[in-house]
Amino acid sequence: MYVPEHFAVPQLDSLHDLIRAHPFGTLITHGRAGLDANHLPFELETGATTTLHAHVARSNTLWQDVEEGDEVLVVFRAADAYISPNWYPSKHELHKQVPTWNYMVAHAHGRITVRDDERYVRGVVARLTRTHEATQPKPWKMTDSTPEYIDTLLKAIVGIQVEVTRLVGKYKLSQNKDRRDIEGAAHGAIAQGGEEIGEAMLACASEKSR
């Protein structure tokens, strides 16, 4: 990924927050059958090492196509928005702005391990469920179904673990513009429904004034 210095995100905590807020990642592999991409919800584990956990259907050939320790890439994308030059105040004075697209992404490079064991898969499913059911009025739990039913479903999936070796982020938020142009573009994005990217741009403009 091309990352100009002014769009780079050196803070790992910020990238961890992005992944946790947008855990539906794209796992890109290059196995025996060639390039492939699978879209999966991931669990992020941080500590001495950074690890991503997920699972795929047993009928998905991904887990048989890769080798232990193969290099993979997982892409996590947060907000994005088209930015019109008309939103920059300076455009109306100097007429030297062009359209662009702003976005926030994290690229997790790592090595893959297939975890075809029931205990690992059960743990991944349980933790993902707890995380994403937490906002429900009555969160669903695995114990809401019969053990036999859950056991049958768990046998139909395979665990995927990615040990992250490098985490790269890019927040393209018009940081290369003047503060008033960042703010103008942010309000334009918000007016078009891009609240998340707009708020991030406003935070960037605020930092620029310090």
Side-chain angles (χ1 to χ4, degrees):
M1 176 171 62
Y2 170 57
V3 187
E5 184 177 352
H6 44 266
F7 297 149
V9 186
Q11 304 90 353
L12 286 179
D13 286 349
S14 180
L15 298 179
H16 292 164
D17 289 343
L18 183 149
I19 293 172
R20 291 192 174 100
H22 302 273
F24 193 63
T26 301
L27 170 62
I28 301 167
T29 58
H30 193 187
R32 290 184 291 271
L35 280 171
D36 193 15
N38 282 265
H39 309 277
L40 310 169
F42 283 89
E43 175 202 13
L44 174 67
E45 178 187 3
T46 58
T49 60
T50 301
T51 310
L52 295 167
H53 304 278
H55 59 83
V56 297
R58 187 171 292 277
S59 56
N60 185 335
T61 57
L62 161 71
W63 68 278
Q64 296 170 314
D65 188 47
V66 296
E67 298 285 349
E68 183 88 4
D70 275 359
E71 291 187 358
V72 299
L73 171 65
V74 188
V75 177
F76 296 93
R77 184 177 67 83
D80 70 280
Y82 171 77
I83 304 298
S84 170
N86 290 321
W87 299 342
Y88 298 124
S90 68
K91 179 266 181 189
H92 303 283
E93 301 166 2
L94 305 174
H95 304 286
K96 291 184 178 180
Q97 298 288 358
V98 295
T100 192
W101 207 286
N102 281 358
Y103 54 90
M104 304 166 70
V105 294
H107 285 195
H109 300 255
R111 299 188 179 278
I112 194 169
T113 299
V114 174
R115 299 292 302 270
D116 189 14
D117 63 85
E118 189 271 348
R119 182 177 179 182
Y120 177 87
V121 171
R122 184 180 291 272
V124 171
V125 172
R127 291 190 298 273
L128 284 173
T129 299
R130 282 198 299 270
T131 297
H132 299 294
E133 282 286 323
T135 58
Q136 297 300 310
K138 185 179 179 181
W140 181 88
K141 306 181 298 297
M142 292 174 70
T143 52
D144 288 351
S145 298
T146 65
E148 295 78 14
Y149 178 72
I150 294 297
D151 289 347
T152 298
L153 293 181
L154 291 177
K155 290 175 183 176
I157 58 179
V158 177
I160 297 294
Q161 178 177 306
V162 177
E163 181 182 349
V164 177
T165 56
R166 185 162 61 100
L167 188 57
V168 182
K170 182 176 183 179
Y171 289 1
K172 185 173 178 291
L173 301 170
S174 300
Q175 297 97 315
N176 55 332
K177 306 291 185 183
D178 291 337
R179 177 179 176 178
R180 63 173 184 153
D181 282 338
I182 300 174
E183 291 176 338
H187 290 301
I190 292 171
Q192 296 290 317
E195 288 85 1
E196 184 177 357
I197 196 80
E199 292 298 334
M201 292 170 66
L202 289 175
C204 173
S206 178
E207 285 290 327
K208 197 159 190 172
S209 66
R210 293 181 183 178

